Amino acid sequence: MSKILIINAGSSSIKWNLFSEKLNVEAKGVAQRIKMATGILSLDFKGQKEDIEMPLPTFLDTVKKLVSLWKERGIIADFSEIKQVAFRIVNGGPNLQSTSEVTEKTISYLKESLDLAPVHNPGALEAILAFREYLPKAKMTMHFDTSFHKTLPEIAYTYPINKKIASELNVRKYGFHGLNHHYIALKTAEILNKKSVNAVSLHIGNGASLCAIQDGKSIDTSMGFTPLAGIMMGTRSGDVDPSVIPYIMKHKNLTIDEAMKLLNEESGMLGVSQVSSDIRDIHKVRGENSQAQFAMNLYVTRIADYLITYLNKIEGKIDAIVFTAGIGENDDYVREQVINKIHLLNLKIDKTANENRNFKDYKLISTKESELPIFVIKAEEEMYIAKEASEFFKK
Ligand code: ADP
């Protein structure tokens, strides 16, 4: 039996899906809270769901525990069944722009591009190296988050800096989460029975970005040259005045690497709340902890600010607003707070639909009176990657 394994290493998680040759999901799961005090290995196999708490100190260690768990639970009889492993990669830099096979050469390109996605690429690289160690015979591919944003117009991808330096160093907005924003564009069109849609996709997970979609194409997105830009995230600051960086470096005696670590790993929800990067932890304490509540308010405000800008960018009738990813799919409070901050449009959330946790791939959460329909669509990057991967070696 030949299987395709899809690995989606996020900033604090490894999502995995094991597909059959015919692209049916046979088992899936997620390793969450990697590098935090307690990790969770969630497993979904033959209708049985399991959550196993254990320390997951590194990505390498997480892969080790995953692979042995698959054999232990009978998900695979032997490692040789896994013929293909496909990795989602945030940004492969200038040399890796479309789907590529994992080779010594592409690994070295990926190593060169670690600083283009400093939170994700190191985890993805660690995952690739670990899986190569455990599954040396499997064919492996890399799939990039930047591809969907190739359609950004110059006016959206250009930073207002010195043109010569920007061109020389390829400094521009690349945009990320493209695999899922693309899926959301297609899925929304399917739901609304249209050829293509105008929509704003809000991919809100630990990392988070919004995408303005016109006629099914990305016309703007909130992440930039790296995934540090845009809205406030779990540990990333999102947009700040760039002058803040040298100022902090000077007064706190920090190196560039230390300053970037501060913005990528110690800011956002974690940095502002001083509690946690995980929004579930914030909900637990925000009743008594006013700083945690303030962090939440700042979080939803930053999302709403981008949402109204992107709604305004779309020319023509807007078909939908779509929430997706970890927080977008699960957090009714965040969705309601974001929508309540949009005053220029008459948007109305249906409280019951918004709070309903029992839905398959999508749900409508707006009332009939709402000026625009608002959906929650579960992220489906993995199926897209599986399709790409299975077609890759057929070519
Ligand atoms: P990434 O892939 O960037 O690591 P995810 O899309 O997996 O991020 O989202 C992780 C975030 O989703 C975490 O902050 C977590 O708190 C949140 N999350 C996950 N499950 C739930 C849930 N059931 N309720 C609320 N938030 C959730």
Side-chain angles (χ1 to χ4, degrees):
M1 276 190 289
S2 134
K3 299 183 201 303
I4 304 179
L5 176 64
I6 309 303
I7 296 299
N8 185 351
S11 45
S12 63
S13 63
I14 294 181
K15 290 183 191 141
W16 60 270
N17 281 248
L18 200 60
F19 284 84
S20 67
E21 217 172 346
K22 294 198 167 137
L23 301 187
N24 294 311
V25 183
E26 296 200 328
K28 62 180 177 178
V30 54
Q32 281 184 92
R33 299 170 66 103
I34 299 171
K35 297 181 184 177
M36 295 170 77
T38 50
I40 311 167
L41 282 189
S42 313
L43 189 74
D44 186 345
F45 177 52
K46 287 188 175 164
Q48 296 267 17
K49 288 188 184 179
E50 258 186 280
D51 284 324
I52 310 157
E53 274 199 25
M54 62 172 81
L56 301 170
T58 64
F59 278 79
L60 185 70
D61 187 71
T62 305
V63 170
K64 257 185 217 165
K65 285 174 176 156
L66 273 179
V67 173
S68 51
L69 190 71
W70 294 336
K71 264 193 103 163
E72 221 171 88
R73 295 290 189 275
I75 293 171
I76 50 169
D78 191 82
F79 300 148
S80 64
E81 282 176 18
I82 302 174
K83 298 275 192 249
Q84 271 186 256
V85 187
F87 297 89
R88 169 205 170 207
I89 308 289
V90 167
N91 191 354
N95 294 311
L96 293 169
Q97 297 206 328
S98 50
T99 306
S100 308
E101 188 171 0
V102 174
T103 60
E104 293 304 327
K105 193 170 176 184
T106 53
I107 287 175
S108 76
Y109 285 148
L110 187 62
K111 281 182 182 162
E112 284 165 21
S113 70
L114 292 186
D115 61 343
L116 288 178
V119 180
H120 288 84
N121 278 5
L125 179 66
E126 270 187 73
I128 288 175
L129 297 177
F131 277 105
R132 276 190 126 202
E133 203 173 307
Y134 290 103
L135 306 171
K137 292 199 177 129
K139 288 184 169 180
M140 299 188 181
T141 42
M142 304 177 187
H143 305 254
F144 302 97
D145 264 312
T146 40
S147 306
F148 183 56
H149 303 299
K150 276 181 185 164
T151 51
L152 290 187
E154 191 178 1
I155 200 95
Y157 72 65
T158 304
Y159 291 122
I161 60 169
N162 184 308
K163 183 178 162 52
K164 284 183 197 154
I165 292 178
S167 315
E168 184 195 326
L169 298 176
N170 294 314
V171 174
R172 49 160 286 178
K173 179 184 280 191
Y174 289 105
F176 300 91
H177 292 138
L179 297 155
N180 194 48
H181 286 309
H182 190 189
Y183 168 74
I184 294 300
L186 297 171
K187 182 72 183 177
T188 309
E190 183 194 309
I191 293 166
L192 298 174
N193 200 15
K194 295 191 73 176
K195 248 179 95 186
S196 66
V197 287
N198 296 332
V200 176
S201 166
L202 298 95
H203 179 117
I204 309 173
N206 199 7
S209 71
L210 276 74
C211 182
I213 297 164
Q214 187 160 317
D215 298 326
K217 295 191 175 78
S218 172
I219 58 159
D220 207 350
T221 191
S222 59
M223 282 178 172
F225 177 64
T226 70
L228 180 56
I231 58 175
M232 175 176 157
M233 305 176 219
T235 60
R236 278 169 263 171
S237 61
D239 299 339
V240 294
D241 179 345
S243 308
V244 165
I245 302 163
Y247 183 84
I248 293 177
M249 284 172 70
K250 189 170 149 192
H251 289 276
K252 299 305 277 182
N253 218 354
L254 300 185
T255 63
I256 291 178
D257 283 350
E258 287 165 341
M260 293 315 287
K261 188 168 185 278
L262 181 74
L263 293 178
N264 275 302
E265 296 175 31
E266 296 157 18
S267 297
M269 190 60 94
L270 173 67
V272 179
S273 71
Q274 296 287 304
V275 173
S276 171
S277 63
D278 192 314
I279 208 150
R280 289 168 287 196
D281 297 336
I282 304 298
H283 281 303
K284 276 182 212 149
V285 300
R286 66 183 170 81
E288 310 86 63
N289 182 333
S290 62
Q291 189 57 29
Q293 183 59 58
F294 174 77
M296 184 67 92
N297 295 347
L298 185 59
Y299 188 77
V300 295
T301 300
R302 294 233 149 186
I303 299 170
D305 289 350
Y306 263 100
L307 176 57
I308 196 66
T309 303
Y310 284 1
L311 289 169
N312 189 59
K313 276 207 164 201
I314 295 169
E315 287 171 14
K317 185 183 164 290
I318 299 163
D319 298 299
I321 294 168
V322 184
F323 287 91
T324 183
I327 295 164
E329 289 165 28
N330 291 299
D331 201 315
D332 50 87
Y333 176 87
V334 166
R335 291 192 298 257
E336 189 177 13
Q337 293 297 312
V338 168
I339 294 302
N340 285 347
K341 290 199 182 302
I342 304 296
H343 305 301
L344 285 174
L345 290 168
N346 186 25
L347 302 175
K348 291 253 179 297
I349 291 256
D350 178 331
K351 221 175 156 50
T352 312
N354 190 35
E355 289 169 12
N356 169 30
R357 297 197 151 257
N358 210 353
F359 65 104
K360 206 173 148 250
D361 45 352
Y362 76 94
K363 64 175 181 177
L364 179 70
I365 59 163
S366 52
T367 66
K368 282 198 188 91
E369 291 73 39
S370 182
E371 212 174 317
L372 297 174
I374 308 165
F375 289 94
V376 174
I377 301 181
K378 290 184 181 167
E380 260 295 2
E381 286 142 321
E382 288 76 17
M383 175 60 89
Y384 272 78
I385 298 173
K387 275 185 191 159
E388 271 193 7
S390 80
E391 278 154 25
F392 187 83
F393 291 105
K394 286 180 188 155
K395 276 182 196 158

